[in-house]
Every structure is written in C-alpha cells, then in structure tokens.
Amino acid sequence: MDPVVLREFETKLQDWLGRGYQILADDVDGELRVTAHYVSPEDGTGSEREQDFWPMTPEIVQLLTSNGVAISYALAGPRPWAGPHPE
C-alpha cells in the first residue's frame, strides 16, 4: 500500500480515537466497513457517527488491530450451508 495513503488512514483513525470515538470494523465481502461513533459517557446516548469503507490490506488490518480495533467477519460473505442441503 502506498505509504501516503496509509498515513491518511492512520491520521483519520488517530483523530477518531483522540476524540473518544468507539471504532468498529466489519469485513464486508473483502472490504472493511469502519464505523466510528461517539457515545456520551454522561448519558450513554450516541451523538455522532461516521462510516467509511477501507481496503482490506495487511497494513490496514495491522493498523486497526494494533490500535485495539477488532475486525468482525460475521458479514464476510457467503458461508457453506450449516445444515443438510434443502433439496
């Protein structure tokens, strides 16, 4: 990944974390849907939310995980049928 582009993602992540946002990341068919939302510690209500799609590259995965952001793979795409085939 281009170091300048990686730095832009890193800057955005650090800005969100610096403002106290909670960060969620979901693998959506090979791309990361990164959601940042702010929840007020006083009343527990969410007041701001931002969402971006980031490329699923080793550098981005490392950036997120090294900053404590877990990546959910629940939306990652088709999975094998869990039970007997319906035929």
Side-chain angles (χ1 to χ4, degrees):
M1 169 171 260
D2 183 331
V4 173
V5 174
L6 179 60
R7 182 72 183 140
E8 290 173 6
F9 286 115
E10 183 177 13
T11 299
K12 187 167 215 169
L13 178 63
Q14 293 306 319
D15 179 55
W16 283 336
L17 293 172
R19 293 191 287 160
Y21 280 57
Q22 295 177 355
I23 312 296
L24 306 169
D26 296 290
D27 176 349
V28 180
D29 297 328
E31 188 173 38
L32 290 168
R33 182 178 63 195
V34 180
T35 304
H37 68 282
Y38 181 77
V39 177
S40 171
E42 289 84 34
D43 60 12
T45 60
S47 61
E48 295 180 36
R49 179 174 174 249
E50 294 182 45
Q51 192 170 67
D52 277 340
F53 281 90
W54 292 12
M56 174 87 76
T57 65
E59 297 90 349
I60 295 291
V61 170
Q62 174 63 31
L63 174 65
L64 292 171
T65 56
S66 67
N67 282 282
V69 179
I71 298 172
S72 169
Y73 294 94
L75 303 174
R79 289 181 289 279
W81 186 262
H85 197 276
E87 287 182 354

